[in-house]
Amino acid sequence: MGRRKRPATTHGIAVVDKPAGVTSHDVVAMLRKRFDERQVGHGGTLDPSATGVLVVAVGKATKLLRFVEKTSKAYVGEIVFGVETDSLDADGEVTATHDMDEVPVAAAQAMVDAHLVGDIEQIPPMVSAIKIDGKRLHELAREGIEVERPPRPVTIHSFTLMPTEEPNVLLAAVECSSGTYIRTLAADLGHLLGGGAHLRNLRRTAVGRFTLGEAGSPDECELLPVAEAVRTLDRVDVTEQVGGLVMNGRVLPAWDGAPPWAVFGPDESLLAVYEPHGAHDAKPMVVVPQT
C-alpha cells in the first residue's frame, strides 16, 4: 500500500529568474526542496540554456497555473545569421552555413514587419515538448527521428530588431502569445533573408504581468500570495453569503467585466475563478480550497 500524500501546507506563487544550464523541472525540484512541498509546478517551460522569468506555483496555487500559462510572453535574444543548427539554437549541431556576413537592420526589420508580425503559423521545432502520437518531439529528436509537424497558429504582438557589435548578429525583442517558439522566428527570418540563422542567449523578460523586476534566484525568490496567479483577470468582490455559494460551486449570475472572473471574499481571499455559462450566468472553473 502506497504512502498517503501529505496535504500541502505551503501555498503561493514564486517568480524565478531561471539561470542557464538547468531545466524548468530542475527549478521545480529546487523549490520543492526549499519549501518542503511536493505540490509544485511551473507555468511555461524555458529551455535549459535560456534564462529569465519562470513562474512557479506551490500548493493550492498549482490549480491556477492555467491562468499563468496562457498569458503573453516577452523575450530578448540574439539572432545569429549565416549558421543553421539542428536545434535552431546555439546548443545544436551546425547543419548549414551561408554567406551572410552583414545583415542590414532595416532590411531585416522590413522582412519581419511583412511576414513575422501579427497572426502567423509556426512549425514547432523537433526539440520542443509537443507530443506527436504520444511521444514528445525532443525524445524523437534524440533518437534521430524527424516527423511531420502540423503548423500552429501564434500571435506576434511586436518583433523589434536592433544592431549589435557583431555584423551578422541582431538583438531581437519579441512580445508574443503563449506557445510561440522564438528559435523558430529566428530560423524563419534567416530563410526569408535568403540564408539561415539560429538563436542564442534567449532571456524571457515577462510572463503576462510577471516581470524580471520581481524575479529572484531559486534560492531567494519571494513566495507571493496565491491570488497573484490571477493578477491579469478581472476581479469580483462578493459578500460572505455569496462567497458560501461560490465555495459550493454554484452557478451564479454573470458579473460585469471581461471573463474569466477572479472571485474574492470579504476577507480578501481568492475563492474561485468563474467563466460564462449560458447567456447570463457564470460557473466555476476552479474553486480554491480555503484551508
Side-chain angles (χ1 to χ4, degrees):
M1 191 172 180
R3 287 189 306 171
R4 286 180 104 180
K5 288 185 178 179
R6 173 172 61 86
T9 56
T10 302
H11 312 280
I13 291 290
V15 187
V16 179
D17 185 354
K18 187 189 89 64
V22 299
T23 67
S24 299
H25 184 72
D26 290 337
V27 173
V28 167
M30 294 175 195
L31 267 62
R32 280 181 178 149
K33 183 176 181 181
R34 177 181 163 193
F35 294 118
D36 190 25
E37 185 60 69
R38 296 300 304 166
Q39 193 175 350
V40 180
H42 67 77
T45 302
L46 273 176
D47 294 329
S49 60
T51 65
V53 177
L54 182 71
V55 181
V56 179
V58 181
K60 61 188 176 185
T62 56
K63 292 177 173 287
L64 302 164
L65 273 174
R66 72 180 85 172
F67 306 109
V68 175
E69 293 169 338
K70 299 302 181 184
T71 54
S72 61
K73 312 290 192 299
Y75 299 87
V76 293
E78 295 174 333
I79 302 177
V80 183
F81 294 93
V83 178
E84 297 183 75
T85 71
D86 57 2
S87 63
L88 311 186
D89 67 7
D91 293 335
E93 298 291 330
V94 174
T95 58
T97 58
H98 307 270
D99 184 10
M100 300 176 72
D101 288 339
E102 186 158 358
V103 178
V105 178
Q109 187 67 60
M111 197 64 75
V112 164
D113 294 342
H115 300 283
L116 296 175
V117 174
D119 296 328
I120 66 171
E121 290 192 332
Q122 286 190 323
I123 296 176
M126 277 301 302
V127 292
S128 66
I130 293 172
K131 285 186 176 180
I132 299 288
D133 295 330
K135 200 155 188 181
R136 296 194 184 277
L137 288 177
H138 63 75
E139 294 173 346
L140 295 171
R142 282 199 297 268
E143 297 172 14
I145 301 171
E146 182 164 353
V147 296
E148 194 79 17
R149 289 100 66 200
R152 293 155 53 99
V154 297
T155 301
I156 311 302
H157 304 298
S158 66
F159 185 171
T160 305
L161 296 170
M162 292 155 278
T164 70
E165 294 181 356
E166 299 175 71
N168 67 327
V169 178
L170 296 180
L171 182 66
V174 179
E175 294 182 14
C176 55
S177 64
S178 176
T180 301
Y181 291 97
I182 309 303
R183 66 177 73 195
T184 299
L185 287 179
D188 288 347
L189 179 56
H191 294 154
L192 286 168
L193 290 171
H198 70 271
L199 184 72
R200 75 181 186 195
N201 296 331
L202 181 65
R203 185 158 174 76
R204 187 154 67 191
T205 58
V207 173
R209 294 182 187 171
F210 298 98
T211 66
L212 278 174
E214 62 185 319
S217 70
D219 292 334
E220 298 178 347
C221 58
E222 182 182 356
L223 191 62
L224 304 173
V226 171
E228 290 298 311
V230 295
R231 60 168 63 170
T232 61
L233 304 185
D234 274 12
R235 173 176 173 142
V236 173
D237 292 284
V238 299
T239 64
E240 184 175 350
Q241 181 182 9
V242 175
L245 300 176
V246 168
M247 294 308 298
N248 286 321
R250 292 281 294 273
V251 173
L252 297 170
W255 298 276
D256 293 333
W261 300 276
V263 183
F264 286 79
D267 63 350
E268 296 292 307
S269 60
L270 175 66
L271 304 180
V273 177
Y274 268 62
E275 65 182 345
H277 178 65
H280 306 290
D281 292 330
K283 65 177 182 179
M285 302 173 69
V286 178
V287 175
V288 181
Q290 297 301 298
T291 56

